[in-house]
Amino acid sequence: MSDADAGAESEAAWRERFGFAEPYDNQADAIEAAIDAGRENGYLAMEGPCGTGKTMASLTAAATLLDEGVYENVLVVTPVKQQLRQFVEDLRTMNADSAEPLRSVALVGKRDLCPYGREGVFPADVGTHERCEDLRETTATLVEAGSEGSRHDGEEIDELTAIRTDEDLEDAWWDPVRARDLAKSARPGREEIDQSTLETASASSPYVPVQPSAPAEFDEDEPLFCPFEADWYGRNRGSPVDFSAGKDAVVTSDDFLPAAVEAGTCPHRVQSVLLGEADVVVGNYNHLFDPQSRPLIEGVVGEETFVIVDEAHRVEERVRDLLSDRVGEQSLRRARNDVSELVARASQSEGAKEELAAHLADFEVTLDDARRARDFYDDVAAWLAGEVGERLEAEFDGRRAWPERDVELPLRDPSADEPDDLTRWAEREGYTGDFWRRLVHVGMAVEDVLEEEEAERATVVGAVSRTFTNWWERDHATYFREIELEHAPQEAPTGEPWEAQYTAGLVMYNCMPGDAVRDVLAGLGGGVLMSATLEPIGVFREVVGLDALENDPEEPRPVTERTYDLPFPEENRASWTVAATPFTARNRGEPTSENGNATREQYRYVLRTVARSHGNVMVCMPNYREAAWAGDYLADATEKDVLVDASSSDEETERLKREFFRGPGKVLVTSTRGTLTEGVDYDGDKLHCCAVVGVPLVNVASPRVRAVRRAYADAFGEENAFAYALTVPAVRRSRQAIGRVVRGREERGVRVFVGERYTEGAPRSVYEYLGPEERAEFVRMTPEFLGPQFEQFWD
């Protein structure tokens, strides 16, 4: 077969899956590039702005590879809820007329699915996840085969029971009949329990609205259990809900949650069953990159999986957050109390001591180990309190000068690869490496003892001890140790004076997320990493580990690239760079209304010119402090309503966004690093102009930022460290913001970069980090030409 014939056959195959009559410009190339990468077990890094059709292109390629038998399933991860909904819609579009629809499920967290957690039935001081795990363990014990209790062999089962008959169930350790009896015991009818039923997600369950306890015939102690979990065992761990519950075989929690509740089965278990049977799984970054969430998909996702990583420009930042650990002062004290309680129990009698010693021995832990851990947590808590007090006294002039913001107190020089102050202190106190390594085993043992004896108890010692073991084991270049003070004023504090203003925690901050990303991608079959702002793709490949993957000496994986231009008519948009004095902290001074230096005056002129232009205008400042300054000024400088965004709740942000969209043209002032500049679709007439003021760098003096720069210098060279760690992510933020303007072929709008640094050849220019289309299209002008250009474009 000739190359031309092979190409035609390949196109015919993917067109069978493509959800529309014809692809957009560049969409066909994107599909074929993803298919080619997938066939080679490689990865495609793709930048495509709004209108490229990235979602449908990646799904079409993935479906084609499934049809060819190259992969067994597909995993989609995105950090943006709006994008998750877009994948669901595109999957339904693909499946609508297909004889073999892709069975698909969209994942949500346990907190969103647990009926008791959703309705506030659990105690307020116990997390849904922790309580659920305890109830699952108790329920499993109650339904174990061979346990005492009533059996009704041969009972009839209704069609919703969906008993599985897989051969692998022949050795099942649970008794499905006993499980069904246990679930039924939680239904209204027993005199001693409520006669109403639990309702959630607009669905009524078969069970009472309180936490039920097991009847005495199952366990004389009558422990609390979960009837939804028992019902799942009663169905031989099957699901009463299948893919027909969702439109076009795509199931979301809106579909399976109420159906599972009405059937009386755990919705989270139903999701897990659907996950195991799905062709396509849609989730968020946590499911793929977070060690705490990854177990949900662990048995399903692997070398036979094709992955689609959406909004991939955010991978570096999100994975860094997921892999950073924090132990707050309250958690440290609770861990100490957990161990102290066990030690106290051992001193009650010789019999209690022997019993506890035997239990701990199952974990190869002794009572002396527990006492030593108790002393350690006591000492660390005292060290932390004293260290915070001394550092604040040394760095700020008295208590009145303590800043009303979060504060970082580094435990080592951020520019040096050396042990931290806590580790050095601990070694001086005799807490050696062997002790730190044993902490995790002590924590697990103590947690097991306490939770077995007191099912209601929520312990933290297991998680805290794991973090401290990692504190010792992890290297210092990759993980930066510091004390983090969260600004959280209290009216009636106890303890140290600083506790009236701050909550302290010990932090291990991940400086090199690319290593973890590389390892995750190496364990998958291949895929696509895509975004509207990946450029410079060479930098992206380096920092997320794609280059390391391609150059692996044992198993190299091919990596290809694609960059596409904005597909909408160029005459529908104006793209300008205003060569104003760089808007840097040194040039602009403090953001006060009285500050009238030349830089501030120049930007006041630019801001009012932009704000007075046609329609809805979004002004993006480098941070929220500068946004407040700009908002105050524009409130008097324009006749439009001026809305000022701030770091606030999701509800407040949504309210602000709705107000901006409603009525005549307004000005919305926000931070380029805020939530309104990414993942929000300003389609139609919702936005006519976006101006990005300055380069939105993070605080370069922050200890953790300096530590990242040091780690990046080691990995990518000193000459690249600042650009890779700070400049490129900041420019991507700016590019995301201006990408909000033109979202369709009929839309018109203006995109403006304000600041000389966006121009070619300027000192500390960021011009080279813009995309190819932006470098070619943006027109440089001085501030005085801005007003006439607006008039000309809109006229």
Side-chain angles (χ1 to χ4, degrees):
M1 181 183 296
S2 68
D3 290 345
D5 290 339
E9 183 175 325
S10 176
E11 180 174 342
W14 66 252
R15 280 186 177 273
E16 287 293 316
R17 285 294 189 181
F18 189 68
F20 302 102
E22 289 296 331
Y24 294 143
D25 296 341
N26 299 322
Q27 199 172 25
D29 182 75
I31 294 169
E32 290 170 5
I35 291 173
D36 290 343
R39 286 172 178 162
E40 298 296 324
N41 292 113
Y43 286 92
L44 170 66
M46 176 175 62
E47 173 172 311
C50 178
T52 305
K54 299 185 295 295
T55 305
M56 180 59 76
S58 59
L59 289 175
T60 300
T64 305
L65 292 166
L66 287 181
D67 293 340
E68 293 177 353
V70 180
Y71 297 96
E72 292 183 359
N73 60 11
V74 176
L75 173 66
V76 177
V77 291
T78 176
V80 181
K81 289 183 179 180
Q82 179 174 302
Q83 286 301 104
L84 187 146
R85 290 191 291 268
Q86 185 61 56
F87 276 102
V88 167
E89 288 305 310
D90 277 14
L91 280 165
R92 286 172 171 162
T93 299
M94 289 177 62
N95 284 348
D97 298 317
S98 175
E100 298 181 7
L102 298 174
R103 297 168 301 172
S104 307
V105 61
L107 305 180
V108 295
K110 186 180 292 184
R111 290 180 180 85
D112 295 321
L113 295 178
C114 175
Y116 293 120
R118 286 171 56 89
E119 298 306 316
V121 176
F122 292 150
D125 61 340
V126 180
T128 297
H129 183 83
E130 293 78 10
R131 185 54 173 257
C132 175
E133 290 305 308
D134 291 342
L135 291 173
R136 283 182 171 182
E137 186 174 339
T138 302
T139 305
T141 301
L142 292 170
V143 303
E144 188 173 355
S147 300
E148 295 181 2
S150 60
R151 295 286 302 276
H152 300 286
D153 296 330
E155 70 169 328
E156 294 184 2
I157 303 167
D158 62 46
E159 60 181 0
L160 279 179
T161 304
I163 289 293
R164 294 169 58 188
T165 58
D166 309 55
E167 292 181 2
D168 62 350
L169 293 179
E170 292 179 1
D171 298 324
W173 53 264
W174 65 91
D175 182 342
V177 178
R178 180 175 174 83
R180 292 195 292 275
D181 287 346
L182 180 61
K184 288 178 180 178
S185 73
R187 296 182 178 184
R190 289 169 59 191
E191 293 182 0
E192 66 273 21
I193 60 177
D194 199 322
Q195 302 303 302
S196 60
T197 59
L198 178 71
E199 297 185 2
T200 192
S202 301
S204 298
S205 78
Y207 311 122
V208 292
V210 295
Q211 278 276 265
S213 56
E217 60 264 29
F218 283 84
D219 188 315
E220 61 183 14
D221 293 331
E222 300 187 4
L224 297 177
F225 75 101
C226 178
F228 295 94
E229 180 81 354
D231 185 85
W232 179 64
Y233 280 110
R235 300 172 190 276
N236 276 327
R237 304 205 295 194
S239 169
V241 184
D242 59 23
F243 293 96
S244 66
K247 180 182 177 183
D248 296 312
V250 182
V251 185
T252 71
S253 59
D254 290 340
D255 306 312
F256 70 77
L257 171 59
V261 168
E262 290 180 356
T265 302
C266 171
H268 192 256
R269 295 297 196 185
V270 166
Q271 177 179 263
S272 297
V273 174
L274 294 170
L275 167 65
E277 298 172 352
D279 300 308
V280 181
V281 177
V282 184
N284 61 40
Y285 277 10
N286 295 41
H287 294 118
L288 183 59
F289 297 114
D290 181 10
Q292 303 301 317
S293 302
R294 181 66 186 264
L296 175 65
I297 65 171
E298 199 63 65
V300 175
V301 171
E303 294 180 353
E304 302 302 319
T305 299
F306 185 83
V307 67
I308 299 170
V309 181
D310 186 41
E311 302 291 338
H313 69 283
R314 298 178 66 172
V315 165
E316 188 182 4
E317 176 186 5
R318 289 290 293 118
V319 173
R320 178 177 286 127
D321 290 342
L322 290 172
L323 297 182
S324 297
D325 293 315
R326 186 181 192 277
V327 175
E329 56 177 327
Q330 291 299 325
S331 295
L332 183 61
R333 289 169 181 159
R334 288 179 60 192
R336 176 195 59 197
N337 293 341
D338 287 342
V339 187
S340 295
E341 180 171 332
L342 180 137
V343 173
R345 291 182 185 182
S347 64
Q348 291 175 354
S349 67
E350 192 63 30
K353 180 179 179 180
E354 292 177 358
E355 183 179 347
L356 285 172
H359 197 148
L360 294 176
D362 292 340
F363 294 84
E364 299 182 354
V365 169
T366 67
L367 279 169
D368 283 341
D369 291 330
R371 295 188 185 98
R372 184 71 167 148
R374 176 201 58 192
D375 295 343
F376 173 76
Y377 291 130
D378 259 333
D379 291 346
V380 172
W383 177 88
L384 176 61
E387 191 75 8
V388 171
E390 290 179 12
R391 295 287 191 95
L392 286 174
E393 186 70 25
E395 295 192 26
F396 303 100
D397 184 20
R399 200 177 305 173
R400 293 182 179 179
W402 290 352
E404 295 182 358
R405 55 174 172 79
D406 294 351
V407 175
E408 292 179 67
L409 303 176
L411 294 177
R412 70 163 169 84
D413 180 352
S415 62
D417 180 3
E418 60 187 18
D420 61 276
D421 293 341
L422 173 60
T423 300
R424 286 172 167 164
W425 164 84
E427 288 181 305
R428 291 195 301 270
E429 295 295 316
Y431 295 114
T432 64
D434 287 342
F435 167 79
W436 288 78
R437 295 185 190 98
R438 286 190 60 74
L439 270 177
V440 65
H441 303 290
V442 176
M444 289 190 300
V446 172
E447 192 169 73
D448 190 74
V449 170
L450 295 181
E451 291 186 352
E452 180 175 292
E453 295 184 6
E454 189 178 348
E456 297 294 308
R457 184 185 181 95
T459 61
V460 301
V461 66
V464 169
S465 63
R466 281 192 294 274
T467 300
F468 275 106
T469 294
N470 287 336
W471 188 284
W472 176 270
E473 295 284 359
R474 288 172 173 169
D475 72 274
H476 290 270
T478 301
Y479 286 89
F480 176 63
R481 278 75 161 175
E482 65 179 5
I483 298 172
E484 180 183 62
L485 300 181
E486 294 184 348
H487 184 244
Q490 300 181 44
E491 292 184 2
T494 58
E496 300 292 331
W498 56 263
E499 291 182 315
Q501 191 158 332
Y502 302 108
T503 299
L506 293 164
V507 173
M508 276 188 298
Y509 187 72
N510 183 287
C511 298
M512 290 293 297
D515 294 343
V517 177
R518 177 201 61 211
D519 292 343
V520 168
L521 297 180
L524 302 173
V528 178
L529 294 91
M530 61 189 197
S531 168
T533 55
L534 279 195
E535 289 285 355
I537 289 186
V539 176
F540 173 77
R541 289 175 50 145
E542 282 196 79
V543 298
V544 301
L546 284 176
D547 279 356
L549 201 61
E550 186 175 42
N551 298 318
D552 188 310
E554 296 183 4
E555 190 179 351
R557 307 282 289 276
V559 178
T560 55
E561 305 170 8
R562 288 292 190 277
T563 298
Y564 302 111
D565 291 340
L566 193 64
F568 308 130
E570 189 172 340
E571 60 270 20
N572 282 5
R573 61 186 182 269
S575 306
W576 306 323
T577 301
V578 180
T581 302
F583 196 68
T584 62
R586 178 179 299 177
N587 291 339
R588 68 195 184 226
E590 287 297 304
T592 63
S593 58
E594 296 79 16
N595 186 339
N597 72 22
T599 299
R600 289 276 175 190
E601 284 304 312
Q602 190 177 42
Y603 277 86
R604 285 186 176 100
Y605 173 81
V606 172
L607 289 171
R608 68 175 176 263
T609 304
V610 170
R612 292 170 180 174
S613 69
H614 170 73
N616 270 3
V617 175
M618 182 161 66
V619 175
C620 305
M621 304 298 290
N623 53 55
Y624 283 120
R625 193 171 178 223
E626 290 294 343
W629 168 80
D632 286 343
Y633 169 69
L634 290 175
D636 295 326
T638 177
E639 295 181 357
K640 292 181 180 179
D641 288 341
V642 177
L643 310 176
V644 181
D645 185 26
S647 180
S648 58
S649 65
D650 291 341
E651 293 77 10
E652 178 60 23
T653 301
E654 283 298 313
R655 185 202 63 76
L656 188 72
K657 190 168 62 177
R658 289 194 299 270
E659 187 176 351
F660 181 57
F661 295 159
R662 187 171 54 243
K666 300 179 181 66
V667 181
L668 173 60
V669 188
T670 186
S671 165
T672 312
R673 306 190 62 81
T675 57
L676 290 171
T677 58
E678 288 196 47
V680 180
D681 197 0
Y682 297 89
D683 57 329
D685 284 328
K686 292 176 181 175
L687 188 62
H688 300 91
C689 172
C690 176
V692 174
V693 176
V695 180
L697 294 167
V698 296
N699 179 10
V700 298
S702 161
R704 62 180 56 170
V705 172
R706 292 168 57 204
V708 171
R709 285 181 61 185
R710 159 64 202 245
Y712 275 42
D714 290 345
F716 310 119
E718 183 64 44
E719 69 280 8
N720 295 321
F722 191 92
Y724 285 18
L726 296 162
T727 308
V728 169
V731 174
R732 288 192 182 124
R733 289 274 190 173
S734 298
R735 299 181 64 217
Q736 279 285 326
I738 64 162
R740 301 304 99 195
V741 181
V742 179
R743 313 291 290 178
R745 300 192 67 84
E746 305 304 318
E747 295 179 17
R748 302 184 73 222
V750 180
R751 309 179 297 171
V752 188
F753 287 131
V754 186
E756 189 180 60
R757 293 186 63 189
Y758 287 103
T759 64
E760 186 177 14
R764 299 169 62 202
S765 171
V766 299
Y767 178 82
E768 64 179 301
Y769 304 124
L770 300 174
E773 175 264 334
E774 291 150 358
R775 292 197 298 271
E777 189 173 325
F778 272 70
V779 177
R780 181 186 184 278
M781 67 181 64
T782 53
E784 61 267 23
F785 286 96
L786 192 56
Q789 289 295 325
F790 269 117
E791 293 176 8
Q792 182 177 334
F793 176 77
W794 288 113
D795 287 345

